[in-house]
Amino acid sequence: MEASKVIHAIYTDDDVLMNAVKKVKAERHHIEEIYTPFPVHGLDKAMGLEPTRIAIAAFMYGCVGLTVAIVMMNFIMIEDWPQNIGGKPSFSYIENMPAFVPIMFELTVFFAAHLMVITFYLRSRMWPFKKAENPDPRTTDDHFLMEIAVNGNENELSELLKETGAVEINLIDKEH
């Protein structure tokens, strides 16, 4: 395995982290990853990450759920076993559709929510029994860690990170 060096800069405040990210990006250094104990609003834009496409996936998953609901209710309530419930005729799906709206809504939300979670976990490569990739356990409590690739500029980068308010700076050999 090939090992490369990275610097782990640890911060104790999210506002200091945001300012540090902006300064590091302004100096044209590549930030590999940032580990935070909670979502930091605006961090994705500060890092220059592309917008997520999960909303598009959610819409498509919702459409799948709506389609499943319509086909399921048409088959069950109209074709397979039509019943006279409350005096409502079961001649066609369209006549009964107002009664089916809650089911259509619920299955749309059900499919969108569950399939989005599955998609998120697969895209993030988080599956059951996977070993955590967190480099410092303090980032699950109250610290923020910025991981920056080093290309022979350790001293310059360390000085920049000290200026940005890092409370701890470590040079790490990272294996791929």
Side-chain angles (χ1 to χ4, degrees):
M1 282 194 198
E2 182 182 323
S4 60
K5 292 189 178 201
V6 293
I7 285 186
H8 287 172
I10 296 178
Y11 297 87
T12 55
D13 185 61
D14 55 333
D15 292 327
V16 175
L17 173 74
M18 279 295 284
N19 291 332
V21 168
K22 291 173 184 172
K23 286 181 185 174
V24 168
K25 292 302 277 186
E27 294 288 327
R28 303 205 184 276
H29 294 288
H30 177 67
I31 299 173
E32 294 282 333
E33 188 65 77
I34 296 181
Y35 299 89
T36 63
F38 54 83
V40 177
H41 181 69
L43 188 58
D44 51 344
K45 286 185 181 174
M47 287 180 64
L49 299 177
E50 293 180 16
T52 179
R53 296 184 300 264
I54 195 85
I56 297 167
F59 177 75
M60 292 189 316
Y61 296 152
C63 289
V64 169
L66 181 64
T67 303
V68 167
I70 291 169
V71 169
M72 177 188 76
M73 288 181 300
N74 184 55
F75 178 74
I76 293 171
M77 298 300 291
I78 306 301
E79 293 177 20
D80 186 42
W81 195 354
Q83 298 177 43
N84 186 344
I85 300 173
K88 293 180 182 161
S90 56
F91 301 128
S92 71
Y93 180 81
I94 297 298
E95 289 177 312
N96 288 328
M97 195 174 73
F100 297 154
V101 168
I103 299 166
M104 292 163 42
F105 172 77
E106 291 299 331
L107 280 179
T108 299
V109 172
F110 180 86
F111 271 69
H114 286 79
L115 292 176
M116 273 189 346
V117 168
I118 292 168
T119 301
F120 173 76
Y121 282 144
L122 291 176
R123 283 290 290 147
S124 300
R125 294 182 177 90
M126 295 190 315
W127 35 78
F129 312 110
K130 181 180 187 246
K131 187 178 180 293
E133 296 177 5
N134 193 347
D136 191 327
R138 294 177 293 176
T139 60
T140 62
D141 188 19
D142 61 351
H143 285 66
F144 303 84
L145 186 143
M146 183 188 317
E147 185 176 275
I148 305 168
V150 174
N151 300 316
N153 57 349
E154 299 95 359
N155 295 332
E156 171 198 339
L157 199 49
S158 293
E159 288 302 317
L160 174 65
L161 293 169
K162 283 179 191 169
E163 290 172 19
T164 64
V167 295
E168 188 179 319
I169 300 170
N170 301 315
L171 185 63
I172 307 289
D173 283 329
K174 185 177 178 182
E175 292 187 11
H176 293 286

